Amino acid sequence: MYRIVKEGKFNIELETPSFPDRFKRLFLKGVKVVYVKNEFDNSTFRYRCYNVVQALENDTDYIVTYFLPSELEKVSEHLGSIDIIILQRTLWDVDIENFTYLARENNIPIYFDVDDLIYHPRYIPLYLNNLGILVQNRNSYIDYFYYASSYYVMATQCDGYIVTNHYLKDIVKEDFKKPVEIIPNFLNSEQEKHSKLITKTRKRVDEKFIIGYFSGSPSHKYDLDIVVDSIALLMERYEDIYFKIVGFIEIPAKLKRFGSRIIQVPFISYEELQYEIGEVDLNIIPLQQNKFNNCKSELKYFEAGIVKVPSCCSPTYIYKKIISNCENGFLCRDGEWFSIIEKVYLGKYNLKEITDKAYEFSKSQYGVKNQKDLIKKVYSKILNS
Amino acid sequence: MNRFKTFYKKILSVFRIRRIRRSTYFDEDFYLASNPDVKNAKTDPASHFYFFGWKEYRKPNMNFDIEQFFERFPKAKGIDINPISYIIQNGIEEETRNLSKIGDLKASDLLEALFSISKPLRVLKIDSKDKRMNIVFNGFDKGGFFGGKATALILVTKFCKKYDYKLRIISNDPDKTIFYQFLEIFNISFNKEIEFYDTLSGKYLELGKGDVFLGTMWNNADSLLRTRLLQCKIFYLMQEVETFFYDHGDYHLRCYNTLSNDRIIPIVNTKLLYDYFAGHGYDNVKKGIYFEPAFSPKLLSPSETSFKKKDKYKLFFYARPGHQRNLFYFGLNVLNEAFLRGILDYKEWEVYLAGDDTIPNFDFDVGVQTHNLERMGWKEYYKFISEIDLLYSTIYTPHPSYPPFDFVRSGAVVLTNKFANKSDLSQYSKNIISAKLKEEDMLEKMIEAEKLVKNIQERKQNYLNSNIIETWDESFRDVLPFMLDKIEN
């Protein structure tokens, strides 16, 4: 087990600049890219807008900013200075509808940014089943269909799409027959700052071997089910193996008997999450094999990699692409989890080398400073399309 | 202290069973009607539910689905308490009113409960063309390494590898840790996508256009047939005349109707079993295919002492009192008589027993002690059988079963039985001697077997001339293309 010195205060809410600070960027020199989002949440918005703005913060060619629907009326007075509008997975909203109408009148390209396979009602049954909602009360379906329809109404009006990986790109292309670009998810500077501190102060304090599962939401029961037997067997066989679950997820019945060897941490801020990840020996990312999870991004991998924690991942589209098995991480098919984690625990792999590679890869591939060129290329393509 | 705990537990059981019996959640008539085995055993239904029923997802009344109860109250799962006691203990009667026995018993409720072993799968159609082989097991745990389940797994892994299919293993609460151990034992490299579906998870089974299915027991094949949304090919691996498991009644009929259903494509383990089905009104097997199983010399081989004279010989009695078709008591009598009559000299023979967990400890009347073997790991098992000289193994069905092959491959002589069209197994090896299921005939053949054990030269020559397939690739040479052809056409 590792111990880390925590620094600073952590807020669950994302801290974003005030409206005047974001608004005044429209008057800077350069190509203006405006993101629109229903609310500045700490998950999708952070990865898809907040981090993108940060990546281009000091760029002189592109000025990127973002707004809420309630701010759009004011923004629309200056449509002439906006070059690209990106609706980041926005739900239909009368203010956004009016804003995009005016933008179209001004021939401003409007793109829809989407990071999940939930922008069309036809994908909702798969989503509901994947997350275990299909077995709940039928009334609980309604919200999801509402969300999907609402996204879909906005998405169909757009001129093109920005997604997180090639798998999702192919599906979106097939659905809308319009241009699709890719901007992968990446780290932001706060995550990197904390991660740097973590790797500096991280010290092994005892021989406990901690496996970490960082779920985020309670809806990943079926994903966790993939590894429960393996974790139970490992904990039964080796008394110094502990299992840490971070998020809202309930401890599976098969693991309850391990009592205090199960460490449950409630939902925490994304910065604090880095510290929780940093304390574990191995990060696990079990995912069910299906179209929905193949569209998911690799953020759980690089959030661990950047604090020098190796990951075992299900072989979804993106993990198969970025992980060279046993070199910068581990690919575990269903049923392989036990043997691979056991080998990691018993020191059968050169974990130091694998961890270093995961760290280097996370830093170079997903560090905020290295995203600028790729994003600018996408914007340039949008302008020229 | 322990005695106190046991006493307390007993009292608690009595108290809880009484509460169950009196509760509005337990319908004794329904429980007996939907569980004929409980009725036949003349067991107290409430006690049966308390000790076993709920663990087997048997409904305590027509409205109470145990699976759905655990979905609704996940905290109740895994704490080893039955749902009715859980409700009473936690005071959640109001929230579970809909689970109590309200209204009259309907025929459909009764039928559903009776045939819960083959209820349809919950399916969700999805937009996918991925090619995926789905194999359905009644259980997928450590017992699945050997025998029929292993054969089924080898078949689908070979198929998926050859034709680039994904694999999905469907079972109730599958143990996901053992699949790769299985691959290791059978030396199979498998690089295709693999996933598990737990039929008790409540999740819907996602079904795309490229899904095909293989059933491994009649009831899971029946469950596939009853899943209306499942219109794809259904293969069925026939490895036993499963109607033999039942009295000549409802289950028997349902089983027969499944095995002989035209929609399933049979893949039959051994020509002997195929011929039996073909000759007994199962016309559908004629559009299927059969194969002979493989027994690898890499896993099974004689020991250094197998073909040497020795003072003590080892006899292995494949004893399964818990499995009627293995005729434990018939075998017990034959072996007891063989010792009494001096066919087997008690001074020369050591007797080992293994097969299931219900073997009693006993000695033969002449005083020969038996060694009741504990459960062994696969490496131990293969090593152990290489030291056996004579296997006594019977099975009251037309197929040869696997133990004779395992032991013949390991250098032993085998005494087994004839049944229906299974009249002689010497085509596989002359070290297999088959007798009628009559005491005198079996004892006569025991004389032959005993002689052959000691005739080292002949036994060794028979071993070398055995005609048993060595690799599963050879076994499935025609089966795999046959399956693909059925899927594509």
Side-chain angles (χ1 to χ4, degrees):
Chain A
M1 180 185 178
Y2 292 93
R3 182 120 314 137
I4 302 160
V5 180
K6 279 189 192 175
E7 279 193 16
K9 278 185 179 173
F10 306 104
N11 284 331
I12 290 279
E13 299 299 322
L14 191 68
E15 283 180 38
T16 51
S18 65
F19 173 69
D21 283 344
R22 287 179 278 114
F23 185 67
K24 72 183 179 194
R25 288 177 66 79
L26 292 178
F27 305 98
L28 296 175
K29 206 177 153 201
V31 176
K32 291 343 161 289
V33 182
V34 164
Y35 277 83
V36 176
K37 181 74 181 164
N38 301 86
E39 56 179 335
F40 298 158
D41 62 76
N42 204 340
S43 52
T44 314
F45 165 77
R46 170 162 57 87
Y47 268 107
R48 305 305 296 165
C49 305
Y50 181 85
N51 291 4
V52 170
V53 169
Q54 224 178 52
L56 293 173
E57 207 161 26
N58 300 315
D59 192 70
T60 47
D61 299 329
Y62 288 91
I63 311 297
V64 193
T65 186
Y66 43 80
F67 298 106
L68 292 166
S70 57
E71 298 164 346
L72 293 177
E73 198 178 339
K74 182 71 187 159
V75 176
S76 62
E77 290 169 12
H78 302 278
L79 276 172
S81 61
I82 298 173
D83 299 282
I84 300 171
I85 291 169
I86 299 171
L87 309 181
Q88 204 291 303
R89 213 174 86 183
T90 47
L91 293 164
W92 185 90
D93 180 288
V94 66
D95 292 322
I96 304 176
E97 176 79 34
N98 292 343
F99 181 67
T100 50
Y101 175 81
L102 292 169
R104 265 194 304 278
E105 295 280 294
N106 281 271
N107 292 320
I108 304 169
I110 307 170
Y111 270 57
F112 194 79
D113 180 285
V114 61
D115 55 350
D116 256 337
L117 193 62
I118 50 166
Y119 59 81
H120 193 305
R122 82 157 154 264
Y123 300 124
I124 292 303
L126 179 63
Y127 178 83
L128 297 176
N129 198 37
N130 194 67
L131 272 65
I133 303 159
L134 204 53
V135 294
Q136 295 171 5
N137 187 319
R138 280 176 163 74
N139 290 332
S140 59
Y141 306 166
I142 295 167
D143 288 348
Y144 298 92
F145 279 98
Y146 157 72
Y147 286 127
S149 317
S150 192
Y151 293 140
Y152 187 68
V153 170
M154 294 315 308
T156 46
Q157 298 180 30
C158 291
D159 304 305
Y161 304 87
I162 302 173
V163 298
T164 41
N165 69 34
H166 279 278
Y167 191 91
L168 183 56
K169 178 179 174 173
D170 290 346
I171 297 173
V172 172
K173 199 159 191 133
E174 178 68 27
D175 281 340
F176 295 108
K177 320 272 188 230
K178 289 178 190 171
V180 187
E181 307 299 338
I182 296 173
I183 298 179
N185 283 342
F186 52 88
L187 296 155
N188 65 30
S189 56
E190 293 90 326
Q191 279 172 305
E192 289 193 70
K193 186 187 83 188
H194 286 291
S195 300
K196 205 172 168 184
L197 275 171
I198 291 164
T199 50
K200 254 189 184 174
T201 61
R202 188 172 185 247
K203 274 201 183 94
R204 182 170 277 286
V205 287
D206 57 37
E207 289 308 304
K208 287 176 187 168
F209 182 89
I210 304 188
I211 300 166
Y213 177 69
F214 303 90
S215 82
S217 75
S219 50
H220 293 283
K221 182 191 165 295
Y222 293 144
D223 289 331
L224 185 57
D225 276 352
I226 293 171
V227 291
V228 164
D229 287 331
S230 302
I231 300 290
L233 194 56
L234 284 159
M235 294 182 76
E236 200 175 287
R237 202 170 279 186
Y238 305 104
E239 284 191 351
D240 54 351
I241 291 186
Y242 285 66
F243 187 51
K244 182 196 265 192
I245 302 184
V246 178
F248 288 122
I249 202 155
E250 171 140 9
I251 296 170
K254 285 178 181 173
L255 297 179
K256 280 185 178 156
R257 66 192 158 108
F258 297 104
S260 60
R261 286 167 66 202
I262 303 288
I263 307 160
Q264 197 167 22
V265 180
F267 193 73
I268 45 173
S269 79
Y270 79 95
E271 291 160 287
E272 215 173 352
L273 181 69
Q274 291 306 113
Y275 289 85
E276 291 296 340
I277 300 172
E279 281 182 359
V280 308
D281 293 83
L282 185 68
N283 172 42
I284 57 165
I285 313 172
L287 290 162
Q288 300 158 79
Q289 297 292 313
N290 57 36
K291 212 170 176 173
F292 176 74
N293 282 338
N294 278 335
C295 294
K296 288 245 167 230
S297 89
E298 62 272 52
L299 62 92
K300 283 187 178 185
Y301 170 86
F302 60 71
E303 283 176 349
I306 199 69
V307 288
K308 296 199 174 176
V309 171
S311 296
C312 287
C313 316
S314 287
T316 57
Y317 168 80
I318 196 68
Y319 289 127
K320 272 198 285 193
K321 209 171 162 193
I322 66 162
I323 291 177
S324 305
N325 201 12
C326 304
E327 283 185 22
N328 62 348
F330 302 94
L331 289 173
C332 302
R333 290 175 288 171
D334 283 15
E336 265 182 326
W337 291 85
F338 172 78
S339 65
I340 290 179
I341 297 176
E342 187 185 42
K343 281 183 197 158
V344 172
Y345 168 79
L346 294 173
K348 302 263 164 115
Y349 299 111
N350 186 342
L351 203 61
K352 165 92 176 63
E353 200 177 306
I354 293 167
T355 306
D356 287 346
K357 279 189 183 163
Y359 172 73
E360 286 305 329
F361 183 67
S362 301
K363 200 175 161 190
S364 61
Q365 198 73 20
Y366 302 102
V368 66
K369 283 183 187 149
N370 302 330
Q371 309 305 321
K372 196 191 265 190
D373 291 346
L374 186 146
I375 300 170
K376 283 170 75 169
K377 221 179 254 176
V378 169
Y379 293 160
S380 158
K381 274 175 95 175
I382 293 174
L383 288 173
N384 295 322
S385 62
Chain B
M1 193 63 188
N2 279 341
R3 278 179 65 191
F4 174 74
K5 268 188 186 169
T6 316
F7 176 71
Y8 174 75
K9 236 176 156 180
K10 231 174 183 174
I11 292 287
L12 190 68
S13 304
V14 171
F15 175 71
R16 280 185 173 162
I17 291 166
R18 196 185 301 153
R19 292 286 297 271
I20 288 173
R21 196 178 292 120
R22 288 175 183 168
S23 80
T24 55
Y25 299 97
F26 194 75
D27 185 337
E28 196 166 307
D29 293 340
F30 170 84
Y31 199 75
L32 286 171
S34 56
N35 296 290
D37 55 333
V38 180
K39 192 173 180 181
N40 291 342
K42 299 195 175 12
T43 308
D44 168 48
S47 303
H48 183 274
F49 177 79
Y50 177 81
F51 289 111
F52 314 104
W54 69 277
K55 291 177 189 164
E56 293 159 2
Y57 290 77
R58 301 194 196 207
K59 295 167 96 170
N61 75 63
M62 68 178 173
N63 297 318
F64 201 129
D65 187 304
I66 307 259
E67 206 176 318
Q68 282 170 17
F69 173 82
F70 284 131
E71 278 164 19
R72 224 176 117 196
F73 300 98
K75 281 184 183 164
K77 210 174 176 183
I79 54 171
D80 203 25
I81 183 168
N82 72 83
I84 298 179
S85 299
Y86 182 87
I87 291 171
I88 298 166
Q89 206 169 301
N90 290 281
I92 49 172
E93 286 89 345
E94 197 53 43
E95 293 159 75
T96 54
R97 191 188 290 274
N98 64 328
L99 299 180
S100 58
K101 47 179 183 188
I102 313 159
D104 297 326
L105 191 61
K106 291 190 191 71
S108 56
D109 298 323
L110 198 53
L111 288 168
E112 192 200 312
L114 185 63
F115 292 112
S116 62
I117 54 167
S118 59
K119 71 176 180 189
L121 295 167
R122 293 210 292 191
V123 167
L124 175 72
K125 282 272 192 188
I126 56 159
D127 178 23
S128 167
K129 287 174 189 153
D130 287 356
K131 294 188 291 180
R132 177 167 51 190
M133 172 58 76
N134 297 266
I135 182 163
V136 193
F137 289 110
N138 283 3
F140 192 77
D141 49 32
K142 289 200 167 51
F145 277 146
F146 300 102
K149 278 188 186 173
T151 303
L153 264 183
I154 295 168
L155 174 64
V156 291
T157 49
K158 298 251 172 229
F159 179 85
C160 293
K161 264 181 82 171
K162 185 164 180 160
Y163 299 117
D164 196 18
Y165 270 62
K166 295 177 179 179
L167 175 63
R168 180 161 59 183
I169 294 172
I170 300 171
S171 176
N172 51 346
D173 197 15
D175 181 341
K176 301 184 187 78
T177 63
I178 61 168
F179 179 68
Y180 286 88
Q181 293 174 44
F182 151 80
L183 293 181
E184 197 188 320
I185 294 170
F186 289 94
N187 198 21
I188 298 168
S189 66
F190 188 71
N191 57 2
K192 301 293 157 208
E193 267 183 34
I194 155 103
E195 61 185 299
F196 292 85
Y197 172 77
D198 178 1
T199 50
L200 301 179
S201 69
K203 193 183 168 191
Y204 282 66
L205 183 77
E206 287 157 15
L207 189 66
K209 289 194 178 90
D211 278 302
V212 287
F213 285 79
L214 177 91
T216 59
M217 289 283 285
W218 79 268
N219 65 303
N220 59 50
D222 189 30
S223 147
L224 294 173
L225 289 167
R226 283 167 200 283
T227 306
R228 283 172 198 270
L229 281 169
L230 206 149
Q231 298 297 329
C232 60
K233 303 286 180 203
I234 300 172
F235 294 99
Y236 178 52
L237 186 58
M238 294 170 121
Q239 306 197 80
E240 184 54 280
V241 187
E242 290 168 86
T243 49
F244 288 179
F245 295 149
Y246 305 103
D247 292 341
H248 209 63
D250 274 307
Y251 275 131
H252 185 286
L253 177 67
R254 180 102 164 209
C255 174
Y256 174 79
N257 284 339
T258 305
L259 299 184
S260 57
N261 191 302
D262 259 345
R263 258 192 74 201
I264 62 168
I265 305 162
I267 299 167
V268 189
N269 190 343
T270 71
K271 181 169 188 307
L272 277 169
L273 189 60
Y274 177 93
D275 287 344
Y276 178 87
F277 280 124
H280 286 78
Y282 297 84
D283 288 340
N284 60 328
V285 296
K286 291 172 188 163
K287 64 170 188 180
I289 191 168
Y290 64 81
F291 65 91
E292 296 297 335
F295 296 84
S296 166
K298 285 181 190 158
L299 295 175
L300 299 153
S301 57
S303 71
E304 284 173 10
T305 59
S306 288
F307 303 122
K308 284 185 180 153
K309 285 242 178 253
K310 48 194 103 162
D311 296 333
K312 281 271 184 190
Y313 292 95
K314 289 182 176 173
L315 183 147
F316 186 93
F317 176 17
Y318 187 56
R320 302 177 92 196
H323 297 71
Q324 291 218 21
R325 67 196 164 130
N326 288 101
L327 305 170
F328 172 76
Y329 293 99
F330 178 84
L332 187 66
N333 180 45
V334 166
L335 290 171
N336 198 38
E337 283 294 317
F339 280 116
L340 283 170
R341 296 185 197 185
I343 296 169
L344 297 174
D345 183 343
Y346 68 91
K347 287 181 220 131
E348 288 180 357
W349 288 88
E350 287 173 349
V351 182
Y352 294 86
L353 284 83
D356 67 24
D357 300 330
T358 60
I359 308 169
N361 286 318
F362 67 93
D363 294 341
F364 285 105
D365 291 359
V366 289
V368 176
Q369 279 188 351
T370 58
H371 305 277
N372 206 335
L373 297 171
E374 297 288 318
R375 216 170 248 258
M376 282 181 271
W378 62 277
K379 276 183 188 159
E380 275 175 284
Y381 172 74
Y382 289 137
K383 187 177 174 308
F384 175 77
I385 66 174
S386 73
E387 289 162 3
I388 296 295
D389 298 290
L390 175 62
L391 166 74
Y392 176 85
S393 171
T394 52
I395 188 157
Y396 202 9
T397 68
H399 65 79
S401 80
Y402 282 0
F405 293 114
D406 282 341
F407 283 77
V408 160
R409 260 266 174 264
S410 305
V413 170
V414 172
L415 178 58
T416 185
N417 66 290
K418 300 176 178 181
F419 176 80
N421 56 314
K422 176 173 71 174
S423 55
D424 184 18
L425 299 176
S426 62
Q427 74 269 28
Y428 296 112
S429 170
K430 289 201 167 131
N431 277 344
I432 306 180
I433 297 170
S434 308
K436 286 180 196 163
L437 281 170
K438 308 256 185 205
E439 184 186 330
E440 290 308 318
D441 194 51
M442 194 59 88
L443 285 166
E444 259 178 48
K445 292 292 191 295
M446 181 69 86
I447 298 169
E448 265 182 50
E450 197 263 356
K451 276 188 187 150
L452 186 53
V453 165
K454 291 177 177 169
N455 187 341
I456 301 297
Q457 284 310 315
E458 191 181 344
R459 183 177 152 195
K460 188 173 181 183
Q461 204 50 50
N462 288 347
Y463 163 78
L464 293 170
N465 293 339
S466 295
N467 182 26
I468 299 169
I469 291 178
E470 294 186 0
T471 67
W472 286 104
D473 284 330
E474 197 186 336
S475 293
F476 295 139
R477 194 184 53 214
D478 299 331
V479 177
L480 302 183
F482 167 85
M483 290 169 77
L484 186 72
D485 181 62
K486 290 286 176 191
I487 293 167
E488 290 181 345
N489 302 305

